[in-house]
Amino acid sequence: MSCPFLDYRLEANERQFDEPRAYCEAAARFVQPMRADICNDRYDLAHDSDCEIYLEHAGAADENEGKNEREPKNGTGNRSGDGDENRAGSGEDA
């Protein structure tokens, strides 16, 4: 399975390309063909373990996703000490 951040584009900033070029949506830039090999899991490489761009952005997405599940967007999470204070910190490494 290829990286979910990988896209191939035929144009950028009013410039047309003859061939589609690899674009990393996480980094918001075009990437070299060798980087796209990692994105496409070629040559015994895996984007989810060998690509620092993917790891950085996937980790940030996981952190934000988990944070939103634990605490409401308005910031009124349960902090009253009514016995649920361990709920927000469960499953996280210190």
Side-chain angles (χ1 to χ4, degrees):
M1 181 175 144
S2 64
C3 178
F5 297 122
L6 179 65
D7 188 27
Y8 284 92
R9 298 188 178 181
L10 285 168
E11 62 182 41
N13 299 329
E14 300 178 17
R15 183 176 171 196
Q16 300 283 329
F17 306 126
D18 292 332
E19 298 291 326
R21 294 190 180 181
Y23 184 84
C24 177
E25 293 180 359
R29 63 182 169 86
F30 287 93
V31 295
Q32 296 293 324
M34 288 176 57
R35 167 73 62 186
D37 286 339
I38 298 172
C39 301
N40 285 308
D41 298 338
R42 292 185 183 129
Y43 309 113
D44 293 326
L45 297 168
H47 69 276
D48 57 355
S49 62
D50 297 315
C51 178
E52 67 278 0
I53 297 170
Y54 175 84
L55 293 171
E56 178 182 322
H57 287 83
D62 290 344
E63 287 175 15
N64 289 337
E65 191 173 298
K67 182 177 180 180
N68 290 339
E69 289 173 5
R70 289 191 302 267
E71 190 170 312
K73 289 182 181 179
N74 64 8
T76 60
N78 187 349
R79 306 239 191 274
S80 63
D82 62 357
D84 285 337
E85 48 276 346
N86 289 331
R87 178 174 42 108
S90 64
E92 291 186 12
D93 294 333

